[in-house]
Amino acid sequence: MNTYEVNFDGLVGPSHNYSGLAFGNKASKQHAHKVSNPKEAAKQGLLKMKTLHDLGIAQGVLAPQERPAIEVLRRLGFAGSDRQIITQAWRQAPHIFTACCSASSMWAANAATVSPSADSADNKVHFTPANLIRNFHRTIEADTTDKLLRRVFSDPNHFQHHNALPSTATFGDEGAANHTRLCEHHGGAGIQLFIYGKQASITQLSPRRYPARQTLEASQAISRLHQLDQSRVIFAQQNPAVIDAGVFHNDVIAVGNENVLFFHQRAFLNKSQLKKAISKAFTHASFHFIEVENRQVSVEQAVNSYLFNSQLVTLPKGGMALIAPRECEMLPTVRKYLQRLLEQDNPIKKTVMIDVKQSMCNGGGPACLRLRVALTEQELASINQAVIFSNRLFESLNNWIDKHYRDRLCEEELADPRLLQESRVALDELTQILALGSLYPFQQL
Ligand code: SUG
């Protein structure tokens, strides 16, 4: 039976903005309070999906969340009509208010950790939504993400959904951005690589400047919940120094696919141990470590270009493509490195440059925007088919964006009650396009 690795991309929501909310994420700080263009952001994301679809790679769509998150503001004591809540929150607690407006659910790599059925003892695909406890604007995503995933992957014969881990620092979990699956081919059993930022129970080896968002304790809990064979699971720590250099998720410094791990020399705390563990697990097949040395591309250049936040995908006719942010082409060192990479003997046969600038300005490259789910043909057939990308869906989402999205949004405009109204009309229509039923709190009123 065929197995597909499907990339589910988060659609950028109508409130996409730059509020400087993510400490340790340099792009977010650098672009704080700039004017955003939600329409362009959503179209760039949609075009990325189409590019992958045109390459013959299975693609799905995840709906954005309702923002401003009125329900959350109510929980925080703002009361009255929706309009009154928005005005009060913006006046009294602008930082809380802007956090409740973030379109951050677009970064689907942080939505959940997913293990395919080939790796789990019960032969089901397992999902654990990320609690994202490090940032208030992100932790409020978890409930709706959980609901959305259960709606899309609804067949209990194939899919097992877990609750997000307890919302406490011990179990800080940022989802698939810190998780990579290595395998001979997507249908076979794989090795799951969990990369954590720190062990919550010890203080040594933690970054000093910026927070480590993923804990070992969280990664271990997920590996148990997903019923993984512990002899095929590897835990490895991120190098604290790179977190302090702006690598807030491991997918900013490493990406893996099948028998390839493409990573920066300084990505991991104990690189040789990790390489040994992977080589040991891959005794029957060849494995390619594509290690980028610091003298080739520095950590700073990696963070600026988001080279490692590329999607590494297997092409239907064989070989792999690196779907890289356009910024890689603009930085001469990185451009040259990529030219050389293609001349070497490894599975990467082509690079495709993608413009996701609107998302990049908040620290989200091509790989951040997608959640990988390996599905057998049967599992794929059992999911909500309306979320599967097609040229027809591209057309209707493109029209939907044109109809509902603004092409300019500054911070004060987040408090415009018309934005909430416009977003609700847009999301209501979207739940029909994607056959999601009543998903959002406003639809339950
Ligand atoms: O959590 N940025 C996101 C970017 C997430 C990128 N995802 C991966 N690397 N997988 C974050 O730091 C910025 C929002 C703002 O500042 O308005 C933000 O949340």
Side-chain angles (χ1 to χ4, degrees), residues 116-179:
S117 52
D119 292 357
S120 298
D122 62 357
N123 266 307
K124 288 187 185 179
V125 184
H126 286 246
F127 295 85
T128 300
N131 60 25
L132 296 162
I133 53 123
R134 262 290 156 189
N135 291 290
F136 169 58
H137 70 290
R138 301 226 56 186
T139 200
I140 60 175
E141 292 168 37
D143 288 348
T144 304
T145 298
D146 190 18
K147 204 164 161 189
L148 176 63
L149 292 174
R150 287 174 196 263
R151 278 245 171 130
V152 174
F153 305 94
S154 57
D155 187 340
N157 294 315
H158 295 301
F159 305 112
Q160 182 67 50
H161 294 271
H162 304 279
N163 294 330
L165 297 179
S167 299
T168 169
T170 306
F171 296 108
D173 173 26
E174 303 263 331
N178 300 310
H179 174 250

Side-chain angles (χ1 to χ4, degrees), residues 239-251:
N239 178 355
V242 299
I243 298 181
D244 281 338
V247 180
F248 55 97
H249 288 136
N250 180 62
D251 68 2

Side-chain angles (χ1 to χ4, degrees), residues 17-22 25 28 102 104 107 109-110 137-138 177 213 248-249 251-252 309 362-364 368:
N17 73 93
Y18 302 117
S19 288
L21 300 169
N25 168 343
S28 155
S102 178
S104 53
W107 299 299
N110 306 117
H137 70 290
R138 301 226 56 186
R213 296 198 195 181
F248 55 97
H249 288 136
D251 68 2
V252 175
N309 202 258
N362 253 338
C368 299

Side-chain angles (χ1 to χ4, degrees), residues 55 92 107 324 389:
L55 285 169
Q92 293 171 25
W107 299 299
F389 200 85

Side-chain angles (χ1 to χ4, degrees), residues 418-432:
R418 283 171 305 181
L419 181 68
L420 174 71
Q421 199 43 39
E422 287 162 25
S423 302
R424 285 181 170 174
V425 171
L427 294 182
D428 198 43
E429 202 176 305
L430 184 68
T431 50
Q432 291 164 43

